[in-house]
Amino acid sequence: MKDKVYILIISLITICCSNSRHENNYSINTHYQYVVFKGNDLKTYNIYVENFLNIKNNTKDTLIIPHKDIKNHLKMVYKGDSLSLSFMSDSDIKIAPLDSIDLNCAVNLNDFVKEIPTKLDKENYKIYNNYSKKYLSNTDDYDIIRTTKFGVFKEKYLN
């Protein structure tokens, strides 16, 4: 019985430590965003946001991040709604040691406007990390761009 208790304690410690270690392996920030206004048949504009997420490997080893971890943990919060991000691939993300990549994704905000606004408030297009319970920070060179076309993302991959 005593052995089982030790095994249980060691298992719990291992799980707790591995989760905190995993959290420090990489960091995610919003690099830049395109707010895309696509005209529709009603003579209004549907709103989408194309995001470029900068994922930095903080380790000296090649890091493999399961795609489902990113998809399940990150959501766009818009007008109180939590919206899933769409990706063009469901492959795991591989990052070289001490390097970073930009991961492209997009979201349909399920909203429309009658006119394209002249200014955008970046506070309206934040991405929330359900794992850390915080909004993603922006990179130092973050920019938000108003456009009528997606930059890289292909519309056919939107949810």
Side-chain angles (χ1 to χ4, degrees):
M1 179 68 176
K2 194 173 184 181
D3 291 336
K4 290 181 182 179
V5 171
Y6 285 127
I7 292 172
L8 178 65
I9 290 172
I10 290 172
S11 298
L12 289 173
I13 290 172
T14 303
I15 290 169
C16 292
C17 291
S18 68
N19 283 342
S20 62
R21 233 182 8 244
H22 178 69
E23 185 176 307
N24 295 325
N25 284 347
Y26 64 91
S27 57
I28 304 176
N29 294 297
T30 306
H31 194 184
Y32 55 99
Q33 296 175 301
Y34 291 160
V35 180
V36 182
F37 297 91
K38 300 282 286 183
N40 60 36
D41 295 337
L42 301 173
K43 298 192 184 209
T44 59
Y45 297 90
N46 296 326
I47 309 171
Y48 306 88
V49 180
E50 181 175 11
N51 305 284
F52 292 84
L53 306 176
N54 182 263
I55 305 176
K56 181 180 178 190
N57 179 354
N58 299 323
T59 71
K60 294 180 181 180
D61 298 312
T62 297
L63 185 63
I64 299 173
I65 305 169
H67 176 265
K68 66 179 173 109
D69 285 358
I70 300 294
K71 186 161 180 70
N72 293 340
H73 288 111
L74 301 180
K75 305 286 183 199
M76 169 75 66
V77 177
Y78 180 75
K79 293 186 177 180
D81 290 332
S82 180
L83 304 168
S84 294
L85 302 175
S86 297
F87 297 85
M88 291 191 293
S89 170
D90 59 359
S91 298
D92 291 345
I93 299 149
K94 296 176 185 164
I95 308 171
L98 302 173
D99 201 357
S100 66
I101 63 164
D102 273 1
L103 179 64
N104 181 245
C105 59
V107 62
N108 180 350
L109 297 183
N110 301 312
D111 196 7
F112 66 92
V113 292
K114 291 181 180 181
E115 294 180 9
I116 297 175
T118 55
K119 289 187 179 183
L120 297 172
D121 183 358
K122 66 183 178 183
E123 296 300 313
N124 291 334
Y125 308 102
K126 289 185 156 195
I127 298 176
Y128 187 75
N129 186 332
N130 290 318
Y131 184 73
S132 68
K133 306 292 186 213
K134 296 178 184 177
Y135 286 98
L136 296 186
S137 299
N138 297 331
T139 60
D140 291 337
D141 59 343
Y142 168 84
D143 198 9
I144 188 166
I145 300 160
R146 174 178 60 95
T147 184
T148 58
K149 296 181 182 175
F150 286 92
V152 173
F153 197 84
K154 304 292 183 220
E155 253 182 285
K156 67 181 182 180
Y157 293 103
L158 282 169
N159 292 340

